[in-house]
Amino acid sequence: LYLRDPILQQSKSMSDLLQLFCKGDNRAKEVADACSDYLFANGGRNLTLLLDGYDEYPEELRDSGLIADILNRQILPHCGLVVSSRPHASQNLRQQANVRV
């Protein structure tokens, strides 16, 4: 997931986020809702999220919202996370989430 993407930054739910991958599909919302339900039902097991460009993610969104909830393990607590960032933002990432940097 490219954290610098303005559409991703506006995502309020996992379903919104998943709809980014269903562009052009007339059933995008239905498919995204079903996938979201599945992911929440199993806590994100067998899922690895790649969050690219944490340093480019707006600071005002880092403490709340969907991505913050994922990083803080409030949602999808069992998913794997790989987060890329330039060094200057990694300190904030260390403070926000229980991660190895």
Side-chain angles (χ1 to χ4, degrees), residues 34-48 75-80:
C35 289
S36 179
D37 290 345
Y38 172 78
L39 291 173
F40 281 113
N42 72 21
R45 285 180 180 82
N46 301 319
L47 172 70
T48 298
I75 61 173
L76 305 177
H78 303 292
C79 78

Side-chain angles (χ1 to χ4, degrees), residues 7-74:
I7 297 172
L8 178 141
Q9 294 170 9
Q10 296 171 9
S11 296
K12 302 292 184 207
S13 69
M14 185 57 67
S15 181
D16 290 347
L17 187 63
L18 292 170
Q19 284 182 57
L20 295 174
F21 301 101
C22 301
K23 291 180 182 175
D25 187 333
N26 59 353
R27 297 180 8 218
K29 180 158 178 35
E30 178 185 341
V31 170
D33 286 346
C35 289
S36 179
D37 290 345
Y38 172 78
L39 291 173
F40 281 113
N42 72 21
R45 285 180 180 82
N46 301 319
L47 172 70
T48 298
L49 291 175
L50 304 171
L51 304 177
D52 181 44
Y54 181 79
D55 56 296
E56 298 178 61
Y57 194 59
E59 287 191 36
E60 63 271 11
L61 297 177
R62 290 181 186 175
D63 294 329
S64 64
L66 182 62
I67 299 300
D69 289 347
I70 292 170
L71 288 171
N72 293 323
R73 304 299 190 165
Q74 293 174 342

Side-chain angles (χ1 to χ4, degrees), residues 83 85-87 89-95 97-101:
V83 182
S85 176
R86 291 186 180 99
S90 65
Q91 183 62 32
N92 178 272
L93 181 59
R94 282 187 195 124
Q95 292 171 350
N98 182 15
V99 295
R100 288 180 290 153
V101 180

